[in-house]
Amino acid sequence: MPEALPVNPWVSLAYLVAGVCFILALRGLSSPATSRRGNRLGMIGMGIAVVTTLITHDIASPIELAAAIAIGGAIGFVTARRIAMTAMPQLVAAFHSLVGLAAVLVAAAAFLNPVAFGIAQVIRPIFGPDVVTILPVSRIEMSLGVAIGAITFSGSVIAFLKLNGNMGGKPILLPGRHVINLALLAAILGLVVLFVEDQSPWIFWTITVLSFAIGFLLIVPIGGADMPVVVSMLNSYSGWAAAAMGFTLHNSAMIITGALVGSSGAILSYIMCKAMNRSFVSVIAGGFGGDAGGGASGAAAIDRPWKRGSADDAAFLMSQAEQVIIVPGYGMAVAQAQHALREMGDKLKAHGVRVKYAIHPVAGRMPGHMNVLLAEANVPYDEVFELEDINSEFAQTDVAFVIGANDVTNPAAKTDKSSPIFGMPVLDVEKAKTVLFIKRSMGGVGYAGVDNELFYRDNTMMLLADAKKMVEEIVKAIE
Amino acid sequence: MDFISILSVFVLACFVGYYVVWSVTPALHTPLMAVTNAISSVIIVGALVASMAAGAEIAKWLGLVAVALASVNIFGGFAVTERMLAMYKKKER
């Protein structure tokens, strides 16, 4: 018989309570008003889980343990307080990598010391050493846990490097990468099956190494604009890794959390894919957002007539307007223009202009990226609207002010069947009386590598400058 | 707990997760990622078990490193979520 964990109903109950706290933490996020209470419940849940584990085990080395928590906690806390809001996508990617690595280490520890985890069958022969056999179910759980954890780790490291700018955002395409990835995946699954039969260390470690490799290979070919999907997907993986370890430990708090986080990441990936009208498989296959066609359409841009405006023109148009809708994108984050933008909004409001913000789901580098930046700049959240809630309003709007967004405003997505972004839901900015479009120069194209129809419309005025500088000049120009 | 009861908890939790996450407002998707990050560090429970167990020295140290990594995430994840959520304000009237 396996050596069972000490079964104390109060312990199981405590872990269940922790799990419920985590559910309520996510539930709180249904509205900004209840969100902070939710976050506190999450902290309480974590406290319950940790304290329960500590008091139900004999602590062999309390000093080392306290040191590990103190060092890790201090690093995490200081980073969280200091990090700039524009760096949030890379911070989240970095945190994901830590969860992945922790899962790998826990799985490795469980493999090396299965008795401590209560997942081993120990036979004590009269002669010779004890024979320790890991339960077959646990072998599946721990090998899946180590594999998902390793993929999460190496994938998140690559995502971090791309988001942080240490690595180019352009996809890096290896020849035959699909064949390599599928072969690796098949090898990992084959080894997991073999591991159930044979608990040799080489199988476990080979699974680990191959999983690190596949995580790396999966993310390297994915371009910068697809990062919202990648970050969400890695979020999901970190959850499944936690769930797999929860199965190993028979711990309901870990299983509930893993399932919550896993579904959360999966749903976010789904929302992001839908907002780009792309299938999940095509995002993961990678290669989107390269320079294909970029040069050609860039050249075409010069030939077509377009109108250029100045900060004074923009200030005049907007201060005369009844309603202005601001459409921010990744360029706003890069230029750190959110504070200047809010100042502009305040000045316009003082002139009796109604100011609203329209957010496309994939604007920025992670889900909700724009909302956080606007919140940081003290834009009230009830002035910020999602695509489907505001899209019908453009037709009754005097000025649409596009700052740092491009593909998500391209009307070609609705009309041009040959466009790579055809079918993607876009903001109907061209329906506004005037479109003001801030862009650094006319040469560049969006991430999708397509020219934007919007630039050449009669009602579009291009404001060519750095986003932050342009907004600051407009603020000055508004009387 | 036997395997089937654990599996039941897992499957039901997946459904709970599905409905709860769909009810999250899109404006809070970044805090959602940060807080899910923090709570997935409940894997610290496994790390604690490994680090506290007597017997295997390597497993203990792996566990301790995992405890440190998960602590970064727990403190960092909750703190950064708190910081973000504090910024979401309603219009002053």
Side-chain angles (χ1 to χ4, degrees):
Chain A
M1 277 305 289
E3 288 187 16
L5 287 168
V7 186
N8 179 342
W10 291 105
V11 174
S12 306
L13 194 66
Y15 285 127
L16 184 64
V17 170
V20 172
C21 284
F22 294 147
I23 295 175
L24 293 174
L26 298 198
R27 183 78 187 101
L29 292 175
S30 57
S31 122
T34 55
S35 58
R36 297 182 77 179
R37 195 176 60 213
N39 196 38
R40 306 267 158 76
L41 277 169
M43 294 182 202
I44 293 170
M46 189 61 75
I48 293 173
V50 170
V51 169
T52 307
T53 313
L54 288 176
I55 59 176
T56 51
H57 292 77
D58 298 320
I59 306 173
S61 40
I63 298 161
E64 285 101 318
L65 192 60
I69 295 176
I71 294 169
I75 294 173
F77 192 72
V78 171
T79 314
R81 294 308 289 267
R82 294 221 177 132
I83 192 90
M85 282 297 146
T86 39
M88 204 47 70
Q90 48 270 49
L91 180 75
V92 167
F95 279 167
H96 286 155
S97 75
L98 297 183
V99 179
L101 192 56
V104 171
L105 294 175
V106 172
F111 176 69
L112 294 171
N113 191 4
V115 180
F117 285 77
I119 52 171
Q121 190 173 8
V122 184
I123 298 162
R124 296 206 165 84
I126 303 163
F127 300 105
D130 293 355
V131 179
V132 178
T133 322
I134 303 172
L135 302 175
V137 173
S138 302
R139 291 189 209 174
I140 301 178
E141 292 156 2
M142 72 165 65
S143 54
L144 286 178
V146 80
I148 303 171
I151 294 174
T152 311
F153 173 71
S154 54
S156 299
V157 168
I158 301 297
F160 170 81
L161 292 175
K162 289 196 171 202
L163 289 165
N164 205 32
N166 306 88
M167 213 171 141
K170 279 199 177 137
I172 299 161
L173 303 177
L174 292 171
R177 61 184 196 281
H178 298 313
V179 179
I180 298 173
N181 287 343
L182 287 177
L184 275 175
L185 190 66
I188 291 169
L189 291 177
L191 285 168
V192 170
V193 173
L194 190 62
F195 188 59
V196 180
E197 295 296 317
D198 175 6
Q199 59 167 344
S200 314
W202 75 266
I203 303 179
F204 182 82
W205 299 115
T206 312
I207 293 173
T208 314
V209 171
L210 291 183
S211 305
F212 277 127
I214 200 171
F216 175 82
L217 292 172
L218 267 179
I219 309 304
V220 158
I222 302 180
D226 283 341
M227 278 300 144
V229 182
V230 169
V231 175
S232 319
M233 182 188 82
L234 292 167
N235 183 244
S236 179
Y237 287 179
S238 67
W240 302 130
M245 296 324 297
F247 273 97
T248 305
L249 284 161
H250 294 201
N251 183 303
S252 55
M254 282 168 86
I255 292 171
I256 293 174
T257 314
L260 286 178
V261 178
S263 6
S264 163
I267 290 172
L268 289 177
S269 315
Y270 169 81
I271 295 174
M272 295 299 116
C273 285
K274 222 179 141 212
M276 293 194 292
N277 192 36
R278 313 227 353 244
S279 72
F280 185 69
V281 173
S282 88
V283 172
I284 295 312
F288 199 70
D291 28 29
S297 46
I302 299 158
D303 301 336
R304 296 175 64 180
W306 50 275
K307 262 189 294 193
R308 180 171 186 163
S310 68
D312 293 322
D313 301 335
F316 176 76
L317 276 166
M318 285 195 283
S319 49
Q320 298 300 311
E322 210 166 293
Q323 171 158 296
V324 172
I325 299 182
I326 297 170
V327 180
Y330 183 56
M332 179 192 80
V334 174
Q336 304 257 24
Q338 65 271 28
H339 298 279
L341 196 62
R342 199 256 313 154
E343 221 181 304
M344 187 185 91
D346 286 350
K347 275 214 160 174
L348 289 173
K349 277 189 264 177
H351 276 248
V353 183
R354 241 190 347 267
V355 179
K356 291 180 177 176
Y357 296 80
I359 313 273
H360 192 279
V362 291
R365 284 293 191 257
M366 70 185 292
H369 192 183
M370 293 298 118
N371 304 78
V372 171
L373 294 181
L374 292 177
E376 187 202 9
N378 279 323
V379 172
Y381 62 79
D382 37 11
E383 287 177 11
V384 184
F385 297 89
E386 301 301 317
L387 171 91
E388 60 267 32
D389 298 327
I390 201 164
N391 228 3
S392 57
E393 281 195 37
F394 281 104
Q396 294 97 46
T397 298
D398 303 290
V399 180
F401 186 83
V402 184
I403 171 166
N406 190 350
D407 292 335
V408 298
T409 62
N410 195 341
K414 289 178 280 192
T415 50
D416 181 5
K417 281 200 173 125
S418 65
S419 172
I421 59 168
F422 179 73
M424 171 172 144
V426 289
L427 290 157
D428 298 332
V429 288
E430 79 281 0
K431 290 189 180 154
K433 269 193 212 116
T434 309
V435 179
L436 296 174
F437 200 109
I438 299 190
K439 202 168 179 300
R440 235 166 316 177
S441 70
M442 281 307 280
V445 288
Y447 314 117
V450 286
D451 200 14
N452 195 339
E453 269 305 304
L454 194 61
F455 304 159
Y456 315 108
R457 297 246 170 171
D458 290 338
N459 60 340
T460 303
M461 189 184 272
M462 301 298 295
L463 306 171
L464 299 186
D466 172 75
K468 191 178 174 187
K469 266 198 210 123
M470 177 53 80
V471 175
E472 282 168 352
E473 278 172 36
I474 296 174
V475 170
K476 267 186 245 154
I478 298 174
E479 290 304 309
Chain B
M1 279 197 283
D2 60 272
F3 182 73
I4 291 301
S5 32
I6 305 175
L7 189 66
S8 320
V9 172
F10 177 70
V11 172
L12 292 176
C14 283
F15 278 95
V16 171
Y18 180 85
Y19 289 106
V20 168
V21 172
W22 272 116
S23 75
V24 172
T25 166
L28 292 176
H29 276 163
T30 296
L32 171 69
M33 300 199 86
V35 81
T36 50
N37 219 304
I39 65 172
S40 60
S41 306
V42 71
I43 200 155
I44 197 173
V45 168
L48 289 170
V49 171
S51 68
M52 290 185 292
E57 196 63 16
I58 305 171
K60 186 187 105 180
W61 283 102
L62 290 180
L64 282 173
V65 175
V67 167
L69 294 178
S71 304
V72 173
N73 243 329
I74 292 172
F75 285 84
F78 282 122
V80 87
T81 310
E82 190 71 18
R83 209 181 123 198
M84 278 193 275
L85 293 176
M87 299 185 313
Y88 284 81
K89 292 190 193 82
K90 263 197 149 153
K91 210 181 298 185
E92 297 150 28
R93 284 173 211 278

